[in-house]
Amino acid sequence: MTALEQFEETFWERHSNPKSGWSRTLLLPAILYAIYSRNWRFGAAAVAFTILNPLLFSPPKTDDAWMTRVVLAERWWTRERQEGVLELSYPNALNVLNVPTSGYAVVTAYRKQPIRAAVAGVAAMALKFWYVAELVRRYDARRSE
């Protein structure tokens, strides 16, 4: 195994800790707040946390936690199934819809339109949770066969 492959394996193992996944769910609200308030240090800290997050937590002892299975399902979906994440087929279309929704949230936060930014942010997060829930459903179904 190459050093890059070892790093990737370590990354995914640590990222599958539910603390990693759940803490990352705060990213979009944090970035929208940073943009709205023009607090660029806070925004930079949020982005830095996002980059470092998968390496901050130890690998989980089991895969019982739903958020652990989210990460395992994403990896299974893209590696073993070799599916894309931005395609028009279901459930990938949810990610496609998430792109303009998140973009709209960012633009409205920048324009200081808090209601629109909040609604778009919630919609983007809902699309992401819907997407990963579908991946987990498929991942769990495959594992129980």
Side-chain angles (χ1 to χ4, degrees), residues 12 14 17 38 50 54-55 60 63 73 80-81 84 87 92 106 128-129 133:
W12 282 102
R14 289 173 167 268
N17 184 315
R38 308 300 196 258
T50 302
L55 302 174
D63 64 355
E80 293 178 36
R81 291 277 311 259
E87 296 173 351
N92 296 325
V106 167
K128 182 63 173 183
F129 275 110

Side-chain angles (χ1 to χ4, degrees), residues 17-85:
N17 184 315
K19 292 175 188 173
S20 174
W22 285 116
S23 62
R24 287 173 64 92
T25 63
L26 301 174
L27 174 66
L28 183 60
I31 288 179
L32 293 177
Y33 170 76
I35 292 169
Y36 180 83
S37 66
R38 308 300 196 258
N39 188 337
W40 307 123
R41 285 185 181 177
F42 184 77
V47 171
F49 177 76
T50 302
I51 293 166
L52 295 174
N53 171 287
L55 302 174
L56 296 177
F57 302 97
S58 60
K61 295 188 184 339
T62 70
D63 64 355
D64 295 340
W66 183 77
M67 189 55 81
T68 295
R69 292 193 329 279
V70 164
V71 174
L72 297 175
E74 285 178 313
R75 189 171 189 202
W76 165 76
W77 187 252
T78 58
R79 273 188 127 194
E80 293 178 36
R81 291 277 311 259
Q82 296 184 343
E83 298 280 348
V85 294

Side-chain angles (χ1 to χ4, degrees), residues 32 46 68 89 96 113 117 120-122 128:
L32 293 177
T68 295
S89 60
V96 172
Q113 299 171 319
V122 167
K128 182 63 173 183

Side-chain angles (χ1 to χ4, degrees), residues 1-16 54-55 59 72 75 79:
M1 184 177 286
T2 68
L4 182 59
E5 291 169 333
Q6 182 61 45
F7 175 79
E8 182 182 6
E9 190 66 28
T10 299
F11 173 90
W12 282 102
E13 286 175 355
R14 289 173 167 268
H15 183 40
S16 67
L55 302 174
L72 297 175
R75 189 171 189 202
R79 273 188 127 194

